[in-house]
Amino acid sequence: MPATIIDGKAVAQRVLQQLATRVQALKERGMAPRLAVVRVGDDSASKVYIRAKIRACEQVGMLGGEFELPGDSTESDVLRQIGELNADPSVHGILVQLPLPKGIRPHRVADHIAPHKDVDGLHVQNLGRLLQGEAGFRPCTPAGIVRLLDEYAIDARGKHVVVVGRSEIVGKPISLLLLERDATVTVCHSRTPDLGAMTRLADIVVVAVGRPHLLKADMVRPGAIVIDVGVNRLPSGKLAGDVDFDAIAPTAAYITPVPGGVGPMTVAMLIQNTVEAAERQSAIDPSE
Ligand code: NDP
């Protein structure tokens, strides 16, 4: 039987609709939630991603603003911009779009964002909370994957999950989130000698590498659940994931498409984190 295609676009739309109600409630209490996105330089993919994020802000009735710094900005320039946004009470969530130009250290930048405004979940404090299993902002892409599994009633408990990729924004945090849900997690990377031997053991495969069609049909067992995080622009201009979708969809149990799978959920989780940030900031506002 062909796989059920996990419709991330539809789930993300539902999430955004629910968030619009929460935004409305905040506005009725006199608070207009606001996300600030900082872009350094002219990366064209970054511009596309930021546009999608700002559009989602508008869709839920929230304010979204882009703060643009030139590509030759120094790390101090970026930290100064973040400092201003940290100090601005009208800003509830701050995101610095990655990648950053050479010479600007992503950790230094992430750790400069006030943890309660760190809606990308990359501040060391939020990553530490993730490791400890404590409440905090979770990185958006892994949070979106977990939400997709929930929406399709896929229980990771006791399942063998193989994660391909060990980045701080996807591979490592999704491994922790699924461990927390009692999955048995194997993490693979570029030094894993026989990737197929690992992925064939998986009940759930999550691929976050950035290589078109890396995961082939003979690397996945029939009935597996396949989550494709990769976004690759082919020479033809078409988008492709890290998974050979056409070859794997006929035998998998569930599969996410690219586009329309994990990507829209990343944006939805960013908006969710920002709404939560605004709700928490409104709750601690002593003037209320
Ligand atoms: P990174 O480049 O930070 O990490 C890639 C990981 O893949 C590394 O851990 C690397 O291993 C591993 N890797 C590289 N080659 C191989 C290989 N041949 N076999 C096994 N592992 C390999 O990427 P990101 O995690 O930031 O992103 C991954 C992909 O997901 C990209 O296509 C990106 O565009 C996409 N993405 C999509 C998002 C969405 O919302 N849909 C959000 C974020 C990312 P090593 O550590 O050894 O170098």
Side-chain angles (χ1 to χ4, degrees):
M1 210 170 69
T4 299
I5 295 171
I6 295 181
D7 189 346
K9 204 169 159 189
V11 175
Q13 281 306 315
R14 280 207 299 278
V15 171
L16 291 176
Q17 275 161 18
Q18 290 157 6
L19 290 171
T21 314
R22 286 164 64 180
V23 170
Q24 187 54 35
L26 280 164
K27 283 178 162 173
E28 281 162 13
R29 296 173 57 197
M31 175 184 255
R34 183 171 170 221
L35 171 70
V37 183
V38 177
R39 171 165 60 82
V40 190
D42 266 330
D43 183 70
S44 55
S46 291
K47 286 183 183 170
V48 173
Y49 292 138
I50 292 173
R51 225 176 294 135
K53 289 166 185 174
I54 305 256
R55 255 202 319 267
C57 288
E58 288 164 358
Q59 191 187 329
V60 300
M62 204 166 88
L63 301 167
E66 185 175 1
F67 293 78
E68 214 180 305
L69 297 178
D72 60 358
S73 302
T74 62
E75 191 174 270
S76 309
D77 296 331
V78 180
L79 298 185
R80 197 173 314 115
Q81 174 68 77
I82 293 171
E84 282 172 22
L85 295 168
N86 281 341
D88 183 344
S90 77
V91 170
H92 305 99
I94 302 169
L95 172 146
V96 178
Q97 186 66 44
L98 300 174
L100 288 163
K102 269 204 171 69
I104 302 180
R105 294 166 292 176
H107 285 160
R108 184 83 184 82
V109 167
D111 293 346
H112 201 65
I113 297 172
H116 65 286
K117 295 189 180 188
D118 170 41
V119 288
D120 225 5
L122 299 179
H123 188 286
V124 69
Q125 191 170 309
N126 283 314
L127 289 174
R129 285 181 179 153
L130 166 64
L131 188 71
Q132 291 179 334
E134 298 291 337
F137 293 118
R138 303 299 192 225
C140 300
T141 303
I145 294 171
V146 168
R147 181 68 181 263
L148 275 182
L149 296 178
D150 285 347
E151 293 283 332
Y152 280 79
I154 297 167
D155 188 359
R157 175 186 287 225
K159 298 228 166 54
H160 183 194
V161 178
V162 174
V163 176
V164 190
R166 56 176 164 179
S167 71
E168 271 168 36
I169 63 167
V170 190
K172 284 181 189 167
I174 190 61
S175 306
L176 290 170
L177 284 174
L178 293 175
L179 262 183
E180 204 170 65
R181 289 182 165 223
D182 297 329
T184 301
V185 181
T186 301
V187 184
C188 302
H189 44 77
S190 68
R191 307 294 166 93
T192 301
D194 185 351
L195 184 62
M198 292 293 151
T199 53
R200 272 191 292 276
L201 298 173
D203 302 307
I204 303 177
V205 195
V206 179
V207 194
V209 170
R211 290 196 177 205
H213 302 163
L214 175 79
L215 194 79
K216 308 271 185 241
D218 64 356
M219 297 165 78
V220 185
R221 70 165 184 76
I225 295 157
V226 181
I227 307 294
D228 189 354
V229 182
V231 179
N232 306 289
R233 181 76 62 186
L234 299 177
S236 65
K238 259 185 80 175
L239 283 186
D242 289 348
V243 169
D244 189 348
F245 181 93
D246 292 341
I248 293 176
T251 57
Y254 293 87
I255 190 165
T256 61
V258 176
V262 173
M265 290 303 294
T266 298
V267 177
M269 293 299 105
L270 171 68
I271 304 300
Q272 179 169 291
N273 281 349
T274 309
V275 172
E276 271 172 28
E279 287 171 344
R280 284 187 213 163
Q281 286 164 52
S282 92
I284 58 168
D285 186 346
S287 66
E288 289 209 348

